[in-house]
Amino acid sequence: MVSPAIALAFIPFVVSLLIRYRHYFLLFYRAVLVRWLRDYLTGITKEERAFQYIMTHAIPGDPLHILETFDQWSYHCEYLCNLGPQKAKILERLIYEKAPLTVLELGTYCGYATILMAQSLPLGARLYSVEMNPCKAAVAEKVIRLAGFDDDTVELIIGSSEEVIPLLKEKHGLFQADFVFMDHWKRCYLRDLQLLEAHDLLPKGATILADNIICPGAPHFLQYVKACGKYKWRIHRTSLEYFRGIRDGMAQITYTGLP
């Protein structure tokens, strides 16, 4: 048995861990434990619960109000790994600055970033969004249409990015993407960037914005971008969506077409 003296000696250490990593414990509680409990009690996914909230509280046809309602849900009800308001400002500013006519989004999730980009696009632009999970894609489809964007503006493609990217030209008519937003599995960032290169889908000057490059991180992607000589890059320092105490960042890279 552990003596009381030894047990007491560990208390300051445990308390210090709890204080230092309190944001991560809270994230685990909100993102995992609460979700498991409510999934069990309601029989539907948290994304479907969020959509029910959107239907009840958001104004149809008002993209900004729908995004604000998503934020309210994520702050006060259940955690969703949407883009969140802090990162949304970076993405929105880049869309306005670059004014891309063709946008490729990898990882639709619930359609938060999709709506943000769609309402910022210039007239005549088209957004192609890829989501591999059919259940999440079904929620995103309803949210995107609720915001007022039809298939002429936003085409939702269901499938894994590895399978979809090689077919973008032939099957979906996307010959080159002026702007790419990556917010899917972080381990796929490097693979998919190289797929975009291999299939000549990046024109010179194309912008790629990759989310969550610090938390949970995409080290191989960043290493490649910095070392290959094909890109100019910068890091936007942010916090994790809806958690100001957890550091994160977005990588903005520009394709130079070299070497």
Side-chain angles (χ1 to χ4, degrees), residues 6 13 24 32 35 70 75 77 87 101 105 108 112 116 143 165 170 174 198 200 203-204 235 243 251-254 257:
I6 295 177
F13 174 72
Y24 295 92
V32 179
R35 184 198 69 194
F70 258 129
Y75 277 124
C77 300
K87 294 177 178 178
L101 292 178
E105 179 183 28
T108 316
Y112 185 106
L116 179 74
V143 171
I165 289 173
E170 179 183 348
L174 175 60
D200 194 28
K204 185 176 180 180
I235 304 297
F243 277 89
Q252 176 189 339
I253 65 176
T254 303

Side-chain angles (χ1 to χ4, degrees), residues 23 75 86 239-247:
H23 299 291
Y75 277 124
Q86 182 188 27
S239 58
L240 185 66
E241 45 272 19
Y242 309 115
F243 277 89
R244 292 191 176 274
I246 300 178
R247 291 175 57 251

Side-chain angles (χ1 to χ4, degrees), residues 33-50:
L33 298 182
V34 171
R35 184 198 69 194
W36 283 348
L37 178 60
R38 293 189 176 175
D39 283 356
Y40 175 76
L41 293 175
T42 64
I44 60 175
T45 66
K46 66 176 180 179
E47 290 81 18
E48 292 169 318
R49 292 192 292 275

Side-chain angles (χ1 to χ4, degrees), residues 35 45-48 51 70 80-81 107-112 131-144 156 158 185:
R35 184 198 69 194
T45 66
K46 66 176 180 179
E47 290 81 18
E48 292 169 318
F51 177 69
F70 258 129
L80 288 176
C81 51
T108 316
Y109 191 47
C110 290
Y112 185 106
E131 174 57 51
M132 70 174 296
N133 186 306
C135 296
K136 293 173 183 176
V139 171
E141 176 85 23
K142 291 183 284 189
V143 171
I144 292 165
L156 183 58
I158 302 174
W185 291 107

